[in-house]
Amino acid sequence: MVEYCDSWGTCFHRPIQIVMAPAFHGTDKDLSEGLQTELKKQGCSVRCILETFGEFELEEQEDVFNGSRKGKHSISVLYLDIKLAEELMREAVGRTGKR
């Protein structure tokens, strides 16, 4: 799942499917940087890249992140923009009143 914003500041949250071929010897960092490069070419900035483990069609992946499968599959963060991380921390502090 990739969270990104276009040049007008409109944010998007969409599944992007990456098929890992057996011959691929790159790392999660390589994949993350490749996605960021491609989206940057389109005038977008990446805020967050999440990975879910398993084999899913795009609709199923959307359900894992936003629907009835939410919380039922392992997810890892491949990339988190520092500004977004700071924003999330401020929100968390505001909710709890401490940290």
Side-chain angles (χ1 to χ4, degrees), residues 24 26-37 49 78-79:
F24 180 76
T27 64
D28 288 345
K29 182 179 178 188
D30 297 329
L31 287 172
S32 174
E33 289 174 350
L35 276 172
Q36 291 179 67
T37 299
I49 301 173
L78 297 182
Y79 171 79

Side-chain angles (χ1 to χ4, degrees), residues 31-81:
L31 287 172
S32 174
E33 289 174 350
L35 276 172
Q36 291 179 67
T37 299
E38 288 305 312
L39 286 167
K40 190 173 189 172
K41 288 178 186 176
Q42 299 172 32
C44 299
S45 60
V46 175
R47 294 172 43 99
C48 180
I49 301 173
L50 303 171
E51 175 184 21
T52 185
F53 300 97
E55 294 184 23
F56 303 97
E57 297 294 326
L58 287 177
E59 296 81 18
E60 294 172 321
Q61 185 182 25
E62 179 74 34
D63 197 42
V64 167
F65 286 97
N66 299 314
S68 64
R69 295 183 185 193
K70 190 173 182 177
K72 297 179 181 176
H73 297 276
S74 297
I75 295 172
S76 67
V77 177
L78 297 182
Y79 171 79
L80 181 61
D81 178 76

